[in-house]
């Protein structure tokens, strides 16, 4: 049966999966959501015998119904290959009573690789299916990790160009170096003087600019997105929660049907939304634990039912979560509003106009699957240090936020359910924050001295993603004001 996608903001005509991937954002500014969530097609016993690639096919074919078996399997094979430094793609590590789902074994050592390794293949396949003749221009805002993962995925992919905007002083030194050294004739990286929300708003405005779209079309281009607003980003993320559950069963850590908790460090809400989708497909998940840093707009939302971005923007040691407008939350809001597009559109208009909105009591009651909490900077550093001292296992700052929030939840709820913590980035990506948390004797070392020290204490090999940027030349040094983003796009495309 064909699964179609509709906008969260209007009752416009639904589109196929490939069209939703190509467009990225609906014409009315809404996000594409499936008309209904499919059910898992296999038993846990069957899934437990499968490779990551096989699980990916079983899950994704239920969502991407207009892709043929050959097309989808080809996309999966090209995405989940030797780019990953572990055969399991997403291994589980047990430490101090929880299972850390390591989602950082791809080319850019962050969880974004899990979806951005496959998105270019889904997108170019979708373009062929829909007879698109234009060159596709990927436009993306990043809080640090999406940018590099998207650049690596799309670099030199025929028929595409990619432009990434990032907050100039809002990412880690390693994250910035990864982006500005990116090779590929079709890649362009732009720093903006502003924060991630400014970058994200600018990108959305460019997408909504009808006059620009016309000008682009005349020049042989069309926009698409690699941000988690693209359903082609979200669907591959559902896979690793299903895979994690199957692995726990295969390792005799749980029985078939036994519930697990999932903890996710959360910024734009896509990663935890994918876990929510997995739960709605029938994966036995008990609590979805939403972990925030000091930019705790989501924690406040789960506590009060009010989403309010009118607050100071705090730069933290977990920059991928320094976000006050969590775009993917809209998909959840739409669902708990009973798929009422008008209601959702009103909430989003209120967010745009007043910086806040309040959901109804009936909608708040629909959030019982979620638990929200946050960890401040001191708690984050302590969690890295405590886990290392207890177990020798080193985690990055984002994973530490999740780990600390899990401890808070366990204390409050006295819940001993088997728990998976999404480990979203390698500690090598945030060496200074990680090493300073472990011992202040590292304070005066350079970034790459810290890399070598981390390798020693964690007994792990320095990832290739870090080795290759040690001496890589800077290839991108454009920095613009936040109101100059559109002009930067036109310059890169020579329009």
């Amino acid at each position: 049966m064909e699964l179609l996608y509709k906008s969260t903001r209007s009752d416009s005509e639904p589109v196929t999966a490939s069209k939703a991937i190509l467009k990225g954002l609906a014409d009315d500014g809404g996000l594409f959501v499936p008309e209904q969530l499919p059910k898992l097609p296999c038993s846990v016993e069957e899934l437990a015998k499968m490779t990551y690639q096989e699980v990916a096919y079983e899950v994704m074919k239920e969502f991407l119904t207009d892709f043929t078996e050959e097309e989808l399997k080809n996309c999966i094979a090209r995405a989940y290959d030797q780019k990953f430094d572990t055969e399991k793609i997403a291994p589980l590590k047990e430490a101090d009573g929880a299972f850390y789902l390591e989602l950082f074994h791809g080319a850019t050592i962050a969880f974004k690789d899990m979806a951005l390794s496959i998105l270019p293949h889904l997108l170019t396949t979708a373009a062929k299916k829909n007879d698109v003749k234009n060159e596709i221009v990927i436009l993306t805002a990043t809080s640090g990790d999406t940018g590099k993962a998207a650049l690596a995925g799309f670099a030199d992919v025929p028929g595409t160009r990619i432009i990434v905007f990032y907050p100039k002083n809002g990412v880690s030194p390693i994250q910035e170096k990864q982006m500005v050294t990116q090779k590929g004739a079709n890649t362009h990286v732009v720093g903006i003087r502003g924060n991630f929300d400014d970058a994200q708003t600018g990108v959305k405005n460019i997408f909504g600019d009808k006059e620009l779209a016309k000008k682009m079309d005349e020049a042989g281009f069309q926009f698409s997105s690699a941000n988690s607003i693209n359903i082609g980003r979200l669907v591959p993320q559902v896979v690793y929660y299903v895979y994690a559950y199957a692995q726990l069963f295969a390792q005799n850590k749980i029985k078939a049907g036994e519930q697990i908790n999932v903890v996710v460090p959360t910024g734009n809400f896509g990663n935890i939304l994918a876990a929510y989708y997995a739960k709605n497909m029938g994966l036995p998940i008990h609590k979805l634990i939403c972990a925030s840093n000091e930019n705790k707009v989501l924690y406040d939302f789960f506590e009060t039912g009010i989403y309010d971005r009118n607050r100071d923007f705090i730069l933290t040691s977990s920059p991928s979560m320094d976000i006050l407008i969590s775009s993917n939350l809209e998909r959840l809001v739409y669902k708990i509003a009973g798929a009422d597009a008008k209601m959702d559109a009103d909430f989003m208009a209120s967010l745009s106009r007043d910086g806040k909105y309040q959901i109804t009591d009936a909608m708040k009651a629909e959030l019982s699957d979620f638990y929200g909490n946050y960890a401040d900077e001191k708690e984050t550093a302590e969690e890295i240090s405590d886990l290392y001292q207890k177990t020798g296992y080193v985690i990055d700052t984002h994973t530490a936020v999740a780990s600390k929030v899990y401890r808070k939840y366990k204390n409050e709820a006295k819940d001993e359910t088997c728990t998976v913590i999404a480990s979203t980035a390698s500690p090598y990506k945030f060496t200074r924050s990680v090493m300073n948390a472990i011992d202040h004797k590292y304070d005066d070392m350079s970034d790459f001295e810290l890399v070598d020290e981390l390798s020693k204490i964690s007994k792990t090999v320095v990832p290739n993603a870090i080795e290759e940027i040690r001496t890589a030349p800077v290839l991108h040094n454009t920095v613009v004001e936040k109101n100059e983003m559109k002009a930067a796009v036109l310059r890169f495309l020579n329009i």
Side-chain angles (χ1 to χ4, degrees), residues 27-28 47 49 58 61 114 179 263 332 404 419 442 461 471:
D27 291 336
D28 54 33
L47 290 164
K49 297 190 181 93
E58 291 303 328
K61 74 177 169 60
M114 302 299 293
M179 286 189 280
V263 192
L332 178 66
K404 182 64 184 179
T419 296
Y442 301 118
V461 177
T471 54

Side-chain angles (χ1 to χ4, degrees), residues 236-264:
Q237 291 180 269
V238 178
V239 174
Y240 45 74
Y241 295 110
V242 177
Y243 181 73
Y245 189 91
Q247 288 307 296
L248 288 172
F249 173 76
Q251 294 166 23
N252 295 316
K253 304 294 184 185
I254 55 170
K255 297 182 178 70
E258 187 180 331
Q259 289 195 315
I260 63 167
N261 293 326
V262 171
V263 192
V264 186

Side-chain angles (χ1 to χ4, degrees), residues 336 359-369:
I336 62 174
I359 61 172
T360 66
D361 289 343
M363 288 169 72
K364 193 163 185 292
E366 293 282 317
L367 296 175
S368 58
D369 289 341

Side-chain angles (χ1 to χ4, degrees), residues 144 147-148 151 164 166 168 171-184 187-191 469 472-479:
K148 174 59 183 179
L151 288 161
V164 168
Y166 74 97
K168 176 64 187 146
V171 300
S172 82
I174 297 276
Q175 284 176 314
E176 182 169 48
K177 187 94 194 274
Q178 281 189 300
M179 286 189 280
V180 297
T181 57
Q182 177 65 49
K183 295 178 187 144
T187 65
H188 190 45
V189 180
V190 183
I469 62 168
V474 170
L475 301 173
H476 306 271
N477 51 19
T478 306
V479 180

Side-chain angles (χ1 to χ4, degrees), residues 328-343:
N328 266 293
L329 186 65
E330 180 173 350
R331 286 185 166 113
L332 178 66
V333 167
Y334 173 81
K335 191 170 189 308
I336 62 174
D340 185 330
K342 185 182 180 315
M343 193 187 246

